[in-house]
Amino acid sequence: MRINESNQKQIDFSKQQDLVPAIVQHALTGEVLMQGYMNADAVAATLAEQRVTFFSRSKQRLWCKGECSGHYLELVSLHTDCDQDSLLALALPQGPTCHLGTESCFSADDYSEHPLLSQLMRIIQSREANADGSSYTERLLAEGSKRAAQKVGEEGVETALAAVADDRDELLNESADLLYHLLVLLRSKNLELTDVLAVLHQRRR
């Protein structure tokens, strides 16, 4: 159930000393960013300020994530589970979420824990940052955005031809190649996957 100011009293705070666990998920990529706890006042503050706010058990007060760093979690929507005793906040992070400087408190440097396209984008970034001449990605980026754009065009045509030929396996493989080369092109222009997802999000709204 989506929570708003009119139905927030339906959240069941009775099971854990007036607190409920709250998971924060990136609204665009689906990546799980962090977990905290909310009481009724934290929920009310989150909805009113449109920034994810927790109840800090160590500080024993409301704590707006980012109040010191400026790395706020801008709320997109807030939801309960089926029992209404836990929360899911979809948010747009305004910088690293974790106090260690990583985007997620769960990810660290393990690419495998990211959603697949985000994982692939991070691998592309890693190939660029650690260039040693051994990877196709690195060489493609070194050739510049015109070459990456050319590859996107080629893969787009091959994807379309596979669809017209009704070759399912070829269509899947060419689609994968197209997505990969599109991410490389974005990286060559210093753009992120989330920049594209933000456009789609805005269009949806």
Side-chain angles (χ1 to χ4, degrees):
M1 178 177 68
R2 183 164 181 164
I3 295 299
N4 53 46
E5 293 180 349
S6 65
N7 67 7
Q8 58 186 293
K9 291 184 178 179
Q10 296 187 42
I11 302 170
D12 185 359
F13 292 100
S14 65
K15 298 177 182 178
Q16 300 188 55
Q17 300 178 327
D18 297 326
L19 297 174
V20 295
I23 293 289
V24 182
Q25 186 177 28
H26 197 302
L28 300 181
T29 68
E31 182 177 5
V32 175
L33 300 175
M34 68 173 295
Q35 184 259 327
Y37 290 87
M38 292 186 183
N39 60 8
D41 290 339
V43 171
T46 295
L47 294 171
E49 301 297 328
Q50 292 293 289
R51 285 176 172 170
V52 177
T53 299
F54 300 100
F55 179 80
S56 170
R57 294 172 296 168
S58 59
K59 298 180 177 70
Q60 284 295 297
R61 65 170 177 83
L62 294 187
W63 168 60
C64 179
K65 173 63 181 173
E67 62 185 25
C68 295
S69 65
H71 300 158
Y72 297 104
L73 294 168
E74 301 292 348
L75 183 70
V76 173
S77 58
L78 187 65
H79 308 263
T80 61
D81 69 347
C82 57
D83 293 323
Q84 299 178 345
D85 59 3
S86 63
L87 293 169
L88 175 66
L90 301 181
L92 297 175
Q94 306 303 299
T97 297
C98 184
H99 70 284
L100 297 177
T102 55
E103 294 186 24
S104 167
C105 293
F106 294 96
S107 63
D109 294 323
D110 188 349
Y111 297 130
S112 66
E113 296 183 20
H114 296 280
L116 185 57
L117 285 179
S118 296
Q119 176 190 147
L120 180 55
M121 192 63 165
R122 290 176 188 228
I123 291 174
I124 290 169
Q125 292 168 348
S126 175
R127 294 289 190 272
E128 181 182 37
N130 301 292
D132 61 6
S134 64
S135 79
Y136 170 73
T137 299
E138 174 199 334
R139 294 193 296 273
L140 185 56
L141 284 167
E143 291 176 11
S145 59
K146 288 185 178 180
R147 176 57 178 158
Q150 180 185 1
K151 290 298 296 181
V152 169
E154 292 173 0
E155 298 298 343
V157 170
E158 290 173 5
T159 301
L161 290 174
V164 171
D166 203 22
D167 187 332
R168 181 179 181 276
D169 290 340
E170 190 67 13
L171 175 58
L172 291 174
N173 280 294
E174 294 299 344
S175 296
D177 289 344
L178 177 58
L179 286 173
Y180 160 76
H181 285 96
L182 178 58
L183 292 180
V184 173
L185 177 59
L186 289 172
R187 182 60 198 161
S188 74
K189 290 295 188 180
N190 292 314
L191 293 169
E192 299 287 341
L193 173 63
T194 49
D195 295 324
V196 178
L197 295 176
V199 173
L200 292 173
H201 177 70
Q202 188 62 36
R203 288 180 182 179
R204 181 183 178 189
R205 297 177 64 184

